[in-house]
Amino acid sequence: EAQVTQNPRYLITVTGKKLTVTCSQNMNHEYMSWYRQDPGLGLRQIYYSMNVEVTDKGDVPEGYKVSRKEKRNFPLILESPSPNQTSLYFCASSPGSLGGYTFGSGTRLTVV
Amino acid sequence: GEDVEQSLFLSVREGDSSVINCTYTDSSSTYLYWYKQEPGAGLQLLTYIFSNMDMKQDQRLTVLLNKKDKHLSLRIADTQTGDSAIYFCAEFQLSRDDKIIFGKGTRLHILP
């Protein structure tokens, strides 16, 4: 089944403890992206990648890192999480930047 | 402005038609999308329309595009309880480095 898989689905962590949210797609898509969804703010793009080893900042990149060493994987790294990064995170992929995204099921992160 | 605007809530009786409206900003937008988010799930691409089209129909879904007013609508015929979700409008903005910009979403509530 064509899908985007994120792990974990739920995560509670403490301020400052590094964490990684994994994202993997099995559709050979070139374009991958991370979003955060917050009440009243909708979806905001954190980082995106147009191909292997090519990443760029979205609208809210501060406090996050990404890497794209392989086409299928696009992990999101929080080096020192803070409470304002408590949010619902989505990974998405598409064949190209024109959209038609396939989204993962989301990761609900709570930083205390 | 650069926002995609949607009303936040819509209530519709089961069996009636739902019309969800959206205004976008970039006159050079090439693709416009509608996504559906069910509770606890990621966004699912429902349909899209290319900017040289006025209308697109797919079973119970009809998308209307008014380029002059930069207005996009999604009509769901014979609304059912399974249509209860948040619906996101999105545009592909050529003028913003080929970014996909999402609206904040319209929560559709189905009345019995």
Side-chain angles (χ1 to χ4, degrees):
Chain A
E1 180 188 353
Q3 60 186 358
V4 175
T5 304
Q6 288 179 235
N7 279 298
R9 287 293 309 272
Y10 301 92
L11 179 59
I12 301 174
T13 190
V14 296
T15 299
K17 185 176 180 183
K18 180 180 178 180
L19 66 92
T20 299
V21 183
T22 63
C23 174
S24 180
Q25 51 95 2
N26 62 1
M27 296 164 282
N28 202 36
H29 284 170
E30 291 188 349
Y31 193 91
M32 297 186 75
S33 184
W34 275 102
Y35 289 87
R36 59 179 289 174
Q37 184 178 21
D38 301 288
L41 298 176
L43 282 164
R44 293 180 292 168
Q45 191 179 47
I46 303 170
Y47 268 95
Y48 64 97
S49 168
M50 298 184 80
N51 214 325
V52 175
E53 301 292 4
V54 180
T55 63
D56 210 345
K57 295 177 181 178
D59 297 315
V60 288
E62 294 77 20
Y64 304 94
K65 284 174 57 177
V66 292
S67 68
R68 189 91 182 273
K69 293 187 171 57
E70 309 161 279
K71 201 171 192 179
R72 64 183 290 124
N73 295 322
F74 190 44
L76 179 70
I77 302 153
L78 285 73
E79 294 270 3
S80 183
S82 62
N84 65 10
Q85 292 178 298
T86 292
S87 186
L88 179 58
Y89 291 86
F90 288 104
C91 180
S93 73
S94 78
S97 60
L98 279 178
Y101 283 136
T102 300
F103 278 81
S105 298
T107 295
R108 187 166 291 281
L109 172 66
T110 302
V111 183
V112 297
Chain B
E2 29 182 58
D3 288 345
V4 175
E5 301 278 351
Q6 301 178 240
S7 54
L8 293 180
F9 298 100
L10 177 66
S11 290
V12 173
R13 292 210 174 276
E14 191 174 356
D16 288 351
S17 291
S18 306
V19 179
I20 303 170
N21 295 303
C22 167
T23 55
Y24 62 96
T25 57
D26 189 352
S27 57
S28 65
S29 289
T30 50
Y31 281 91
L32 296 135
Y33 310 89
W34 283 105
Y35 286 84
K36 177 183 181 183
Q37 184 181 29
E38 297 182 6
L43 280 72
Q44 172 194 0
L45 179 65
L46 270 184
T47 187
Y48 65 92
I49 188 167
F50 193 55
S51 59
N52 68 353
M53 299 167 66
D54 296 323
M55 185 184 89
K56 181 178 181 181
Q57 186 155 5
D58 183 3
Q59 298 182 326
R60 293 192 297 120
L61 304 179
T62 303
V63 179
L64 294 177
L65 176 59
N66 180 329
K67 288 183 285 293
K68 175 176 168 289
D69 295 336
K70 297 189 193 129
H71 183 265
L72 184 73
S73 69
L74 174 69
R75 178 177 179 269
I76 305 172
D78 186 25
T79 308
Q80 300 163 11
T81 54
D83 296 324
S84 181
I86 303 174
Y87 291 82
F88 291 89
C89 169
E91 65 168 330
F92 175 76
Q93 288 192 343
L94 283 172
S95 63
R96 284 192 66 188
D97 300 323
D98 297 359
K99 293 175 78 72
I100 307 291
I101 305 297
F102 287 85
K104 291 184 169 53
T106 299
R107 184 178 296 273
L108 177 62
H109 177 62
I110 313 303
L111 301 167

